[in-house]
Amino acid sequence: MGYNPQKIEKKWQKFWEKSGIYKAQDKAGGKKNFYHLVMFPYPSGNLHIGHWYNFAPADVFARFKRMNGLNVMSPIGFDAFGLPAENAAIKRKIHPNNWTRKNIENMRKQLKSMGNIYDWSREVVTCDPEYYKWTQWLFLQFYKNGLARKAKVPANWCPSCKTVLANEQVVDGKCERCDSHVIQEEIEQWLFKISSYADELLKGLDSLDWPETTKIMQRNWIGRSEGHEIKFQIQDTRYDIQVFTTRADTLFGCTYLVVAPEHPIILNLKSEILNLKFVEQYLKESKKKTERDRISDLKEKTGVELRGIKAINPVNGREVPIFVADYVIMHYGTGAIMAVPAHDNRDFDFAKKYNLPIKMVICPNWPKTVCPILDKAYEGEGYLVDSDKFDGMPSRDAKERIGEWLQKQEKAGKKVYYRLKDWLISRQRYWGAPIPMVFCEKCSWQPVPEKDLPVLLPDIKNYLPTGEGKSPLAKSKKFINTVCPKCGGSAQRETDTMDTFICSSWYYLRYADPLNKTEFASKEKLKAWLPVNVYVGGAEHSVMHLLYSRFFTKALNKMGLIDFSEPFLGLRHQGIILGPDGQKMSKSRGNVVDPDEQVKKYGADAVRMYLCFMGPYNQGGPYNPDGLVGISRFLNRVWELFENSTPTPKGVGAPTGSVGEFRNKNLERLLNQTIKKVTEDIEGMRFNTAISAIMILINEISKQPKLLEIENWKLIIKLIAPFAPHMAEELWSRLGNKDSIHNQEWPKYDPKLIEEERINLIIQINGKVRDKIEVPSGISEKEASDLVINSEKIKKWLQGQEIKKTIFVPGKLINLVIGVD
Ligand SMILES: [Zn+2]
Ligand SMILES: [Zn+2]
């Protein structure tokens, strides 16, 4: 009977489900627990090939760990609330709940067709009340610990999704979900104080086994900068302007200040400003612009001088003019900057435009002979010039020294700033977990008592976003009207729902204890499984999900709810799969690969194995249908080889892990080498090279199938098991085994058998023996002659003469014929 994946795959999937072999026990003998996690999918409707690329190779890794004696938990669930599902539902005019439930059903089936080792008994679905009860409970803990507040802040508003978004969810000024341009609106919002964890989020990165690029992205996003806050007195007033700078060394070159349009100094000194009308006109204009436009590098910077007031440069007492310009943002730093046009390109452009002095104070060389004439700012380090007593000092030192000097005069202080802003979590949308807060006229905001959770998301007919700055829940009187938990008077519920990134910030905790009705997860179970050992998912989550989850973990740790402070010790990103044409897959291009079709045609094992084989896992690449055919052929070949070699079950019972005996030394060596290579490559997620090694082995074996003992087959099947789990299970059972292949131990290699035999190769020049060197027995003619030509000892015999002929006797000698004939 030939290889029929459709038949054997269904059979073994049923067997695994029925026998429950992938159900993770919290304690399994003396085995160490290993938490293997993939990013759970949005129930978008169908599993696409990108999901497969995340999940299938990750499953190979999990199976490998399991065979290496670890007690592996590999759970799966659905990130079911939020914009992606809701937008898709609205487009189809289906209620988000119905749409989501239907998709989950379908995707469950598809996920099962992959043959992964998911423990389905731990499934979490974030839109289930049993789950979001705890999302709400966690919100309350954040609130009670001073980490959640409501405030009117400028927010990113997506006009298409009709909701605000967090900074992390705006990519290049566009909505991460629908690609619409985001605008700025001032709206009352619930915020999580992620900024108060900036330093801890930064420090924690050092200890993590994560891709360096992801760590760098998080570091840049958090954006710590260390510098000085410097006070510029305003001449003849009691007011001053504080500026933050990381370059106190350039203070002598400051020729003007710039304040944001919202800076209080404008209001405070209104009566002193001579061109007030003009200034007010400018403020009005800038109000119409979005923050993004204001800070965009592409737009020309505009500004107006505040005539009639001057600031005093604290280092030399000189007067400097003050400008208002909307490229300075009030909630970044102090809302004011000192401009050093000679050493900052943005200031340089502005100074040129408004004809302001440009004063060079850092020279790249010392002693200065001539400072270069600037056609752009010099932003590098160097030596101070025109800076009084600091002249000649390296700029690196001068930063500190000038700062200290001003600090003594109480004109400056050390300060650290972060780019990271608080996380805006309110969404004016229907499909999310209701925020469990109640507003009472008398008592202000009050948390819903924990015993009253969950606050159920009502089933309403009109779930479309309103676009009026409020969620559709605001129209449901039944939902809104409630009583104040504090005074018992009438009160109103919060109608915004939570950002779905909150649901995904803690789901990995719930997997440890998914059915718990009294806690979000018990301490004991959390201790058994957390933190996650290896997390596999896309790099696009670097500053969203991966940052939020770390914040959650750190906050819950500080609250005493968990006893670890990082959620994911190891992190790996899969690359991106492109269409067969090498372009990004999209429906409009018609290059989308449907995994279901591929599975139907070639079987899940072939698709799994092809995804592992197509290239380095962290790089991805184009999906090549011919490549899949090649893998399918390879699996067929293994199958036929097995059938033709008709191994009998006489060897059953031999110690597992033993290599068995090959009657052929070379084959035995190759087998041991292959085990070593496959072991190391899967460990490093180099699945493609692991498969290549297996292919080479099978190729050699097929030349002499009669030599195969049953023990050898056991080894080969084990090597294939993580990649093609169904076929491996089938062949394993045909060897007469009752227990699953996936409960077996990963094969070990014998280091002694890996070493290649070495021989003494005789080297002759014109037939005379000149040397003997030790080489591997299998050395080729090319390798041997390269070795000889480059040998110091032989060089003197060759004396640069042309080699006319090479005689090579494998395993014995090499003779180089040189000179005149
Ligand atoms: Zn949008
Ligand atoms: Zn009240």
Side-chain angles (χ1 to χ4, degrees):
M1 189 196 97
Y3 173 46
N4 182 348
Q6 283 69 27
K7 205 167 156 194
I8 59 169
E9 288 180 357
K10 289 247 160 54
K11 171 176 136 191
W12 291 113
Q13 281 162 16
K14 264 187 210 140
F15 170 80
W16 296 331
E17 194 161 345
K18 222 173 133 194
S19 61
I21 69 165
Y22 303 139
K23 240 182 173 180
Q25 306 300 326
D26 295 329
K27 267 189 201 137
K31 284 185 181 173
K32 237 173 113 178
N33 286 0
F34 187 87
Y35 190 169
H36 171 268
L37 186 64
V38 292
M39 291 181 183
F40 66 166
Y42 296 126
S44 51
N46 274 305
L47 275 196
H48 53 74
I49 199 78
H51 288 125
W52 269 76
Y53 197 44
N54 182 356
F55 302 153
D59 184 65
V60 171
F61 184 76
R63 287 180 177 279
F64 168 79
K65 285 287 175 192
R66 183 187 160 92
M67 290 178 83
N68 275 280
L70 293 167
N71 180 35
V72 176
M73 168 166 85
S74 187
I76 191 78
F78 295 94
D79 193 2
F81 266 145
L83 286 179
E86 192 178 11
N87 284 352
I90 288 170
K91 216 166 129 189
R92 290 166 180 82
K93 299 196 166 73
I94 304 174
H95 193 282
N97 188 46
N98 300 341
W99 166 252
T100 303
R101 299 285 165 191
K102 204 184 101 227
N103 289 344
I104 288 176
E105 196 115 314
N106 184 38
M107 286 171 82
R108 246 186 226 129
K109 250 186 248 155
Q110 290 182 299
L111 281 164
K112 286 181 179 173
S113 79
M114 294 171 114
N116 290 352
I117 63 167
Y118 295 139
D119 177 354
W120 284 96
S121 71
R122 293 177 185 263
E123 183 196 55
V124 302
V125 177
T126 58
C127 67
D128 283 345
E130 299 78 38
Y131 182 85
Y132 72 71
K133 170 184 176 176
W134 297 108
T135 308
Q136 292 173 336
W137 184 84
L138 288 167
F139 176 95
L140 294 179
Q141 308 316 306
F142 276 72
Y143 178 77
K144 286 169 189 172
N145 283 277
L147 289 170
R149 67 185 165 103
K150 192 158 197 185
K152 193 165 189 170
V153 290
N156 310 296
W157 174 264
C158 172
S160 164
C161 295
K162 296 183 175 132
T163 182
V164 301
L165 303 166
N167 285 340
E168 289 80 5
Q169 292 149 25
V170 179
V171 181
D172 295 331
K174 290 179 187 164
C175 169
E176 179 248 339
R177 275 295 123 209
C178 73
D179 247 11
S180 305
H181 269 287
V182 165
I183 57 171
Q184 299 295 310
E185 294 261 355
E186 282 225 341
I187 303 172
E188 249 200 281
Q189 303 292 327
W190 283 100
L191 294 142
F192 271 180
K193 276 195 184 168
I194 190 172
S195 65
S196 61
Y197 279 78
D199 233 3
E200 280 161 75
L201 287 168
L202 212 51
K203 279 187 198 131
L205 284 172
D206 297 336
S207 65
L208 299 177
D209 173 20
W210 283 26
E212 204 48 45
T213 46
T214 305
K215 289 190 188 182
I216 290 170
M217 279 177 79
Q218 288 212 351
R219 281 191 195 108
N220 290 343
W221 187 262
I222 296 165
R224 182 182 199 273
S225 51
E226 207 174 301
H228 292 89
E229 212 164 77
I230 292 161
K231 203 195 284 178
F232 281 69
Q233 199 64 42
I234 305 209
Q235 201 172 32
D236 303 328
T237 70
R238 61 195 169 86
Y239 291 102
D240 57 54
I241 293 174
Q242 304 261 1
V243 302
F244 173 74
T245 180
T246 58
R247 292 295 302 265
D249 54 318
T250 64
L251 254 168
F252 285 89
C254 164
T255 53
Y256 60 96
L257 299 187
V258 187
V259 298
E262 303 86 357
H263 200 285
I265 203 77
I266 301 173
L267 209 61
N268 290 338
L269 292 176
K270 212 171 166 178
S271 56
E272 314 283 323
I273 298 171
L274 301 175
N275 56 340
L276 188 64
K277 260 211 166 116
F278 201 50
V279 170
E280 281 177 338
Q281 183 58 34
Y282 181 77
L283 301 187
K284 223 168 117 189
E285 290 297 318
S286 66
K287 266 217 173 92
K288 291 181 196 156
K289 293 192 210 165
T290 67
E291 185 172 313
R292 181 183 132 76
D293 281 344
R294 283 170 57 176
I295 57 174
S296 163
D297 280 335
L298 302 171
K299 302 249 156 88
E300 207 179 340
K301 308 284 177 283
T302 60
V304 176
E305 188 184 343
L306 303 175
R307 292 188 193 270
I309 58 171
K310 297 268 189 211
I312 304 295
N313 188 336
V315 290
N316 54 16
R318 286 201 193 144
E319 282 180 10
V320 290
I322 306 166
F323 279 75
V324 54
D326 57 17
Y327 73 84
V328 176
I329 306 291
M330 193 58 216
H331 55 267
Y332 283 7
T334 60
I337 60 152
M338 65 173 214
V340 185
H343 303 294
D344 179 285
N345 277 317
R346 198 177 54 177
D347 297 344
F348 184 87
D349 294 342
F350 192 85
K352 280 269 178 195
K353 184 173 170 187
Y354 292 96
N355 214 6
L356 295 158
I358 296 172
K359 188 182 166 200
M360 187 145 188
V361 291
I362 308 285
C363 236
N365 312 303
W366 182 265
K368 75 163 172 169
T369 43
V370 188
C371 259
I373 295 165
L374 295 169
D375 55 1
K376 64 179 187 126
Y378 174 68
E379 292 187 329
E381 301 285 348
Y383 298 87
L384 270 66
V385 293
D386 287 336
S387 300
D388 290 351
K389 59 177 177 173
F390 299 98
D391 279 2
M393 190 180 280
S395 53
R396 276 176 218 282
D397 302 337
K399 271 172 218 173
E400 286 309 307
R401 300 292 291 280
I402 292 179
E404 281 163 20
W405 176 59
L406 288 177
Q407 213 163 337
K408 271 185 208 143
Q409 308 167 55
E410 290 178 358
K411 288 177 184 167
K414 272 202 150 185
K415 187 94 187 174
V416 175
Y417 267 101
Y418 296 94
R419 182 175 176 266
L420 182 68
K421 299 284 164 253
D422 282 340
W423 175 13
L424 213 149
I425 61 135
S426 297
R427 294 293 175 271
Q428 291 73 40
R429 296 288 297 238
Y430 168 68
W431 193 233
I435 295 173
M437 296 294 291
V438 165
F439 186 77
C440 166
E441 291 287 349
K442 222 160 80 195
C443 322
S444 186
W445 285 105
Q446 293 297 322
V448 170
E450 289 178 13
K451 65 173 174 47
D452 294 343
L453 296 180
V455 176
L456 285 172
L457 180 67
D459 184 7
I460 58 171
K461 283 216 174 71
N462 195 355
Y463 50 81
L464 295 177
T466 65
E468 291 150 13
K470 282 197 165 173
S471 105
L473 293 181
K475 288 183 179 156
S476 166
K477 292 236 155 45
K478 230 171 106 192
F479 176 77
I480 305 178
N481 294 325
T482 182
V483 289
C484 170
K486 197 172 174 195
C487 72
S490 69
Q492 299 205 309
R493 285 191 194 282
E494 169 63 65
T495 56
D496 284 351
T497 52
M498 284 188 238
D499 182 2
T500 182
F501 279 100
I502 293 182
C503 311
S504 58
S505 286
W506 74 279
Y507 78 109
Y508 49 91
L509 303 174
R510 187 67 176 172
Y511 278 144
D513 195 7
L515 302 176
N516 197 324
K517 285 199 159 54
T518 55
E519 290 169 284
F520 70 98
S522 82
K523 276 219 154 141
E524 198 190 343
K525 300 211 173 207
L526 287 169
K527 208 181 180 100
W529 291 110
L530 272 293
V532 173
N533 295 87
V534 172
Y535 195 24
V536 187
E540 68 275 16
H541 294 286
S542 296
V543 291
M544 288 187 269
H545 165 59
L546 289 169
L547 191 64
Y548 297 147
S549 300
R550 295 186 59 225
F551 162 56
F552 252 68
T553 305
K554 290 190 183 302
L556 297 186
N557 178 241
K558 202 161 269 177
M559 292 174 204
L561 294 169
I562 56 179
D563 59 8
F564 50 93
S565 62
E566 285 290 343
F568 318 121
L569 299 180
L571 173 72
R572 300 290 180 270
H573 297 310
Q574 79 277 14
I576 293 172
I577 289 216
L578 304 170
D581 54 359
Q583 301 291 314
K584 205 178 155 192
M585 278 191 203
S586 75
K587 277 190 189 134
S588 59
R589 277 204 190 91
N591 62 351
V592 177
V593 172
D594 175 7
D596 284 0
E597 263 171 42
Q598 308 277 303
V599 170
K600 224 182 207 166
K601 209 161 163 193
Y602 300 101
D605 280 347
V607 177
R608 290 171 62 103
M609 204 158 185
Y610 171 63
L611 291 171
C612 288
F613 186 62
M614 58 178 276
Y617 187 46
N618 58 0
Q619 287 172 29
Y623 190 96
N624 173 5
D626 295 340
L628 178 60
V629 172
I631 288 287
S632 167
R633 234 180 254 144
F634 170 72
L635 289 175
N636 269 292
R637 199 163 161 213
V638 174
W639 183 275
E640 277 165 27
L641 192 64
F642 181 88
E643 292 207 319
N644 293 340
S645 68
T646 56
T648 51
K650 67 177 164 131
V652 177
T656 48
S658 86
V659 167
E661 255 180 69
F662 271 95
R663 289 184 207 129
N664 175 325
K665 276 276 168 211
N666 284 334
L667 208 51
E668 183 178 67
R669 186 182 313 121
L670 183 64
L671 181 63
N672 279 279
Q673 284 170 336
T674 307
I675 295 171
K676 179 170 190 277
K677 172 123 184 89
V678 174
T679 305
E680 290 168 358
D681 282 356
I682 299 182
E683 183 66 55
M685 293 202 184
R686 295 181 297 272
F687 305 112
N688 54 331
T689 50
I691 293 174
S692 299
I694 297 173
M695 286 174 164
I696 291 169
L697 177 72
I698 296 294
N699 198 34
E700 284 305 310
I701 284 174
S702 59
K703 291 175 188 162
Q704 38 206 329
K706 292 260 147 50
L707 295 176
L708 279 178
E709 303 275 343
I710 186 128
E711 281 307 310
N712 306 138
W713 265 113
K714 283 191 177 176
L715 283 173
I716 293 162
I717 296 169
K718 282 180 188 174
L719 289 180
I720 291 173
F723 297 101
H726 309 90
M727 181 201 243
E729 193 77 292
E730 177 71 22
L731 298 183
W732 186 252
S733 83
R734 287 181 182 215
L735 285 178
N737 296 299
K738 290 277 173 288
D739 192 15
S740 166
I741 175 81
H742 305 295
N743 286 337
Q744 307 308 311
E745 227 179 274
W746 187 251
K748 291 181 180 59
Y749 61 90
D750 184 342
K752 268 185 271 162
L753 292 176
I754 282 179
E755 284 167 30
E756 282 195 58
E757 224 182 310
R758 295 179 79 81
I759 53 143
N760 281 320
L761 186 76
I762 296 163
I763 302 171
Q764 295 179 339
I765 306 294
N766 288 346
K768 287 193 180 124
V769 176
R770 295 301 185 196
D771 200 7
K772 275 182 195 167
I773 52 171
E774 206 195 275
V775 296
S777 62
I779 194 166
S780 69
E781 175 174 340
K782 171 87 175 62
E783 286 166 332
S785 79
D786 283 351
L787 216 67
V788 171
I789 292 164
N790 292 313
S791 147
E792 281 305 314
K793 215 167 163 186
I794 298 299
K795 262 185 189 155
K796 65 175 174 188
W797 301 106
L798 293 176
Q799 289 180 336
Q801 291 186 79
E802 198 191 335
I803 295 160
K804 305 250 156 165
K805 204 173 158 191
T806 305
I807 300 153
F808 180 67
V809 183
K812 279 220 172 89
L813 69 80
I814 183 165
N815 180 17
L816 302 183
V817 181
I818 57 168
V820 257
D821 35 8

